[in-house]
């Protein structure tokens, strides 16, 4: 299944409920779901979904870890966020595999699925959902 998220800047975009709905619609019961993002400047993460400060702190931390300063990089063709976005995505995940049991994620309390957009401008991001099981 090809899923799309339209982003509007560097943020964490929660898509947990969309995945849960997709699992229910397809009546998947037990197996694994692999999610793969099709872009080198955004990533997928599992993170706390209760306190919004976590999202703010993650963005601030990654911006300090990988500053948007073109004097630090060779690859700068698409602006100050170009190479930092690639580095951030290499430090996180381009794929996540999740366990499904009795039609539900085996998630911990306060966990959610996020697309972590590393670019400043609006983007259209594609994620491939691949389920193996019954």
């Amino acid at each position: 299944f090809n899923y799309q998220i339209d982003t509007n800047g560097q943020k964490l975009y929660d898509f947990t409920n969309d995945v849960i709905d997709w699992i229910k619609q397809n009546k998947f019961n037990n197996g694994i779901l692999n999610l793969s993002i099709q872009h080198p400047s955004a990533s997928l993460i599992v993170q706390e979904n209760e306190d919004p400060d976590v999202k703010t702190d993650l963005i601030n931390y990654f911006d300090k870890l990988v500053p948007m300063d073109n004097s630090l990089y060779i690859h700068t063709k698409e602006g100050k966020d170009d190479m930092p976005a690639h580095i951030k995505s290499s430090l996180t995940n381009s794929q996540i595999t999740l366990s499904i049991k009795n039609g539900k994620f085996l998630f911990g309390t306060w966990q959610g699925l996020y697309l972590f957009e590393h670019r400043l401008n609006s983007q259209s991001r594609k994620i491939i959902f691949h389920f193996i099981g019954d």
Side-chain angles (χ1 to χ4, degrees), residues 61-117:
Y61 174 79
F62 273 91
D63 282 346
K64 288 176 186 170
L65 183 66
V66 187
M68 291 189 201
D69 177 353
N70 277 351
S71 70
L72 301 172
Y73 313 107
I74 297 169
H75 178 76
T76 59
K77 292 179 183 176
E78 296 176 35
K80 69 179 184 178
D81 64 343
D82 192 6
M83 194 59 215
H86 294 299
I87 294 170
K88 291 171 187 177
S89 74
S90 73
L91 295 172
T92 52
N93 300 298
S94 61
Q95 295 185 34
I96 294 179
T97 301
L98 305 162
S99 296
I100 311 299
K101 185 172 182 179
N102 299 322
K104 296 182 181 182
F105 282 133
L106 296 182
F107 262 8
T109 304
W110 300 308
Q111 283 186 316
L113 289 167
Y114 292 91
L115 182 146
F116 194 174
E117 177 61 67

Side-chain angles (χ1 to χ4, degrees), residues 6 18 23 31-32 54 71 99 101 104 113 118:
D6 293 324
D18 292 342
I23 290 168
I32 58 170
V54 171
S71 70
S99 296
K101 185 172 182 179
K104 296 182 181 182
L113 289 167
H118 304 303

Side-chain angles (χ1 to χ4, degrees), residues 1-2 9 11 17 23-24 29 80 85 92 110 115-116 118 127 130 133:
F1 174 71
N2 293 323
K11 296 178 197 165
N17 289 333
I23 290 168
K24 287 178 184 176
N29 194 31
K80 69 179 184 178
T92 52
W110 300 308
L115 182 146
F116 194 174
H118 304 303
I127 302 170
H130 184 179

